[in-house]
């Protein structure tokens, strides 16, 4: 140990080293405590990384004599390890000793420092736009009637249905347990199912009775979905049962398809909904077609609250008609979704709500005397959170205004012809007693 090391440098080194040998794995304490007979004894040695003289171990360096005796060029060791590093200067080179010093003093600092105070988190108040649309009205009752047809015989029933004039009503049904279930009023002697059912056995079941029963809930959602399938079909949107999603198909084989809608920043725009992508570098068409698609699902979110969920997706075909094999779909769709930021995602949700509603404030599924009504304004939630850096593009949750025709359709949906539930519940309750 050089005699020229200033006291302040020695004190700094001892403090930074914690009076512990810095050699990896040694951890020997270098201060022998005082006892009744003797004072405390310091056992450490201050080893130079670059020697205090140019003739010493690792001494060849342009470093000044003054800097050689500073604590930044010293490492605290026990006697044994000081001897080893100076006896093996090629093994314990300048770079190796500097790493030993840095690691040891860093470990002492972390061990003796208190917990680092957490940086204050700045919360931003944001409006979170969901892909949910509120269902404001649902059919109050499900009608059931004895039927000679059973599950799997839907086509035979359809052949006998007396469809009403026009195409606004959604005549949908399910066959279960020897009965036909529908939102249509099966008591109506002029109803579409008059040649299919036994009207003497018609019963009206309150919808809410079904919601809390697992099987009833499934049947209720099935009827809603079948109404949605027909509603979408009338807008030339097909349903893919294998993947449970709606998609636009090519109206003309081998040709792209565009549909008009109202975006958030313009009155009207045409959007490609079926197209064959091209390789940017060459302009050559690829060997598959993209079809705009979406998962549409009715969700019960509370005891008496339902929503329609819109989940933008993609449907792929080899020629505009034939679906691609699953192995060829996954990678392409995953890559596309990975680049779909919130503004793009919500833009597609907006497209679907606008297209399905025809730009109106409500989507109405007309089941004759009853209707399901869906508000096209996306549900929003206020949240205080740190946010996502860079994902702050503006989005306007546009609310459509009703015109004369959409207002009339909405009023008709709410009015119906009225359902007399008391006539059905009374006798059943008496019989149950």
């Amino acid at each position: 140990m050089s005699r020229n090391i200033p006291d302040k440098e020695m004190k700094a080194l001892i403090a930074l080293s914690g009076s512990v040998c810095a050699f990896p794995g040694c951890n020997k304490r270098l201060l022998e405590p005082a006892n009744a007979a003797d004072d405390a004894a310091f056992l450490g040695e201050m080893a130079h990384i670059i020697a205090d003289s140019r003739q010493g171990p690792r001494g060849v360096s342009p470093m000044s004599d003054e800097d050689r005796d500073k604590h930044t060029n010293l490492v605290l060791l026990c006697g044994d390890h000081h001897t080893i590093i100076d006896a093996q200067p090629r093994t314990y080179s300048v770079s190796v000793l500097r790493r030993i010093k840095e690691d040891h003093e860093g470990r002492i600092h972390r061990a003796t420092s208190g917990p680092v105070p957490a940086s204050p988190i700045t919360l931003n108040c944001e409006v979170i736009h969901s892909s949910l649309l509120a269902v404001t009205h649902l059919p109050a009752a499900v009608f059931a009637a004895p039927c000679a047809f059973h599950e799997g015989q839907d086509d035979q029933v359809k052949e006998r249905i007396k469809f009403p004039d026009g195409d606004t009503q959604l005549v949908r049904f399910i066959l279960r347990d020897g009965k036909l279930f529908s939102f249509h009023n099966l008591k109506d002697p002029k109803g579409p199912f008059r040649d299919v059912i036994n009207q003497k056995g018609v019963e009206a079941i309150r919808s809410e009775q079904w919601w809390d029963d697992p099987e009833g809930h499934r049947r209720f959602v099935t009827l809603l979905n079948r109404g949605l399938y027909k509603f979408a079909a009338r807008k030339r949107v097909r349903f893919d049962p294998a993947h449970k999603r709606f998609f636009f198909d090519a109206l003309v084989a081998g040709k792209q398809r565009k549909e008009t809608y109202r975006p958030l920043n313009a009155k009207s725009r045409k959007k490609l909904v079926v197209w064959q992508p091209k390789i940017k570098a060459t302009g050559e068409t690829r060997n598959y077609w993209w079809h705009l698609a979406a998962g549409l699902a009715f969700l019960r979110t509370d005891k008496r609250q339902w929503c329609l969920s819109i989940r933008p997706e993609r449907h792929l075909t080899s020629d505009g008609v034939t679906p691609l094999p699953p192995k060829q779909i996954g990678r392409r769709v995953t890559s596309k979704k990975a680049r779909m930021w919130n503004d793009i995602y919500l833009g597609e949700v907006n497209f679907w709500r606008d297209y399905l509603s025809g730009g109106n404030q409500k989507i109405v599924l007309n089941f004759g005397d009853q209707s399901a009504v869906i508000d096209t304004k996306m549900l929003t939630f206020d949240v205080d959170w740190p946010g996502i850096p860079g994902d702050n593009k503006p989005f306007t949750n546009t609310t459509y205004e009703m015109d004369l025709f959409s207002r009339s359709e909405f009023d008709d949906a709410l009015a119906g012809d009225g359902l007399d539930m008391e006539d059905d519940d009374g006798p059943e309750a008496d019989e149950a007693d």
Side-chain angles (χ1 to χ4, degrees):
M1 181 172 68
S2 171
R3 296 179 180 176
N4 299 324
I5 299 175
D7 285 347
K8 66 176 183 178
E9 300 297 337
M10 290 191 289
K11 291 177 181 178
L13 180 63
I14 294 170
L16 291 171
S17 302
S19 298
V20 175
C21 176
F23 196 88
C26 179
N27 296 322
K28 181 178 180 180
R29 296 197 61 80
L30 303 177
L31 184 66
E32 186 67 26
N35 54 44
D38 295 296
D39 294 332
F42 181 68
L43 308 177
E45 297 186 7
M46 299 181 188
H48 286 78
I49 296 173
I50 295 174
D52 60 341
S53 69
R54 285 159 182 78
Q55 293 74 37
R58 301 169 299 276
V60 180
S61 170
M63 182 180 285
S64 67
D65 290 346
E66 181 181 2
D67 289 340
R68 288 174 188 244
D69 286 330
K70 288 187 175 179
H71 72 273
T72 52
N73 186 50
L74 301 172
V75 57
L76 186 64
L77 299 170
C78 64
D80 291 342
H81 286 119
H82 188 181
T83 301
I84 290 172
I85 68 164
D86 284 351
Q88 299 178 328
R90 284 188 291 274
T91 301
Y92 298 99
S93 62
V94 171
S95 61
V96 170
L97 290 179
R98 282 177 175 166
R99 170 56 62 186
I100 289 174
K101 174 182 175 68
E102 180 181 347
D103 290 346
H104 176 72
E105 292 180 2
R107 188 165 59 254
I108 295 299
H109 176 74
R110 290 189 296 273
T112 57
S113 299
V116 178
S119 301
I121 298 175
T122 302
L123 299 179
N124 302 310
C125 181
E126 288 191 35
V127 177
I128 302 299
H129 298 85
S130 75
S131 57
L132 300 175
L133 307 181
V135 178
T136 59
H137 300 80
L138 282 171
V142 179
F143 289 88
C147 179
F149 299 95
H150 303 280
E151 288 187 61
Q153 295 182 307
D154 290 31
D155 289 341
Q156 287 135 288
V157 172
K158 291 175 183 177
E159 291 173 358
R160 292 163 172 79
I161 291 176
K162 304 299 182 183
F163 289 96
D165 295 335
D167 59 356
T168 60
Q169 290 191 34
L170 304 170
V171 183
R172 313 307 286 167
F173 65 93
I174 57 173
L175 297 171
R176 300 286 190 276
D177 308 324
K179 294 182 179 181
L180 182 145
F181 296 88
S182 177
F183 290 136
H184 267 77
N185 187 353
L186 300 182
K187 294 181 179 181
D188 183 358
K190 296 181 180 180
F193 297 101
R194 58 184 180 271
D195 293 342
V196 181
I197 61 171
N198 178 0
Q199 287 192 314
K200 293 182 179 179
V202 174
E203 59 177 322
I205 307 165
R206 289 189 182 276
S207 296
E208 292 185 34
Q209 286 182 231
W210 267 19
W211 295 352
D212 292 327
D213 175 70
E215 180 59 27
H217 183 275
R218 277 192 292 271
R219 294 181 182 185
F220 190 85
V221 172
T222 298
L223 283 171
L224 285 176
N225 285 339
R226 290 189 177 184
L228 188 59
Y229 303 157
K230 189 64 176 179
F231 178 84
R234 290 174 178 171
K235 292 180 173 291
R236 300 182 300 181
V237 175
R238 294 183 60 188
F239 180 68
D240 174 11
H243 299 94
K244 293 182 171 52
R245 63 190 173 203
F246 295 80
F247 70 96
F248 289 91
D249 61 347
L251 299 179
V252 180
K255 287 192 176 182
Q256 298 184 143
R257 176 179 170 185
K258 291 183 179 181
E259 292 293 345
T260 302
Y261 80 110
R262 179 167 46 177
L264 298 169
N265 56 357
K267 290 185 177 180
S268 178
R269 181 175 296 168
K270 286 188 176 294
K271 184 179 183 68
L272 274 173
V273 294
V274 180
W275 70 98
Q276 189 174 17
K278 296 181 178 180
I279 301 173
K280 289 184 179 180
T282 64
E284 181 182 359
T285 55
R286 298 186 182 273
N287 61 350
Y288 59 90
W289 288 66
W290 284 111
H291 300 246
L292 215 61
L296 305 177
F298 285 98
L299 305 174
R300 187 187 181 199
T301 56
D302 203 351
K303 184 174 179 61
R304 301 187 67 183
Q305 179 64 60
W306 290 70
C307 295
L308 178 68
S309 167
I310 301 177
R311 186 182 67 249
E313 294 187 8
R314 292 292 185 271
H315 181 79
L316 283 95
T317 61
S318 59
D319 53 6
V321 178
T322 309
L324 277 184
K327 290 183 179 179
Q328 298 182 35
I329 294 176
R331 176 178 55 82
R332 291 186 174 95
V333 172
T334 300
S335 175
K336 177 71 71 175
K337 286 185 175 180
R339 299 191 298 273
M340 192 178 286
W341 287 82
N342 281 349
D343 60 314
I344 300 174
Y345 189 89
L346 290 174
E348 291 209 2
V349 172
N350 173 69
F351 167 78
W352 279 99
R353 67 165 181 163
D354 183 87
Y355 185 80
L356 293 174
S357 69
N360 293 316
Q361 195 177 90
K362 310 289 182 181
I363 297 171
V364 178
L365 305 184
N366 179 1
F367 300 110
D369 291 348
Q370 305 187 94
S371 296
V373 181
I374 304 155
D375 195 302
T376 56
K377 184 178 181 180
M378 294 180 226
L379 293 178
T380 60
F381 308 90
D382 293 334
V383 62
D384 292 325
W385 71 318
I388 302 174
D391 190 19
N392 54 1
K393 295 183 180 179
F395 177 81
T396 302
N397 192 359
T398 304
T399 302
Y400 301 142
E401 294 184 1
M402 285 189 176
D403 57 23
L404 180 63
F405 298 103
S406 60
R407 167 60 69 181
S408 176
E409 181 186 32
F410 179 61
D411 289 343
D412 289 345
L414 297 190
D417 288 334
L419 298 175
D420 188 357
M421 299 293 294
E422 292 182 359
D423 289 346
D424 299 297
D425 284 351
E428 287 185 9
D430 291 340
E431 291 171 5
D433 292 339

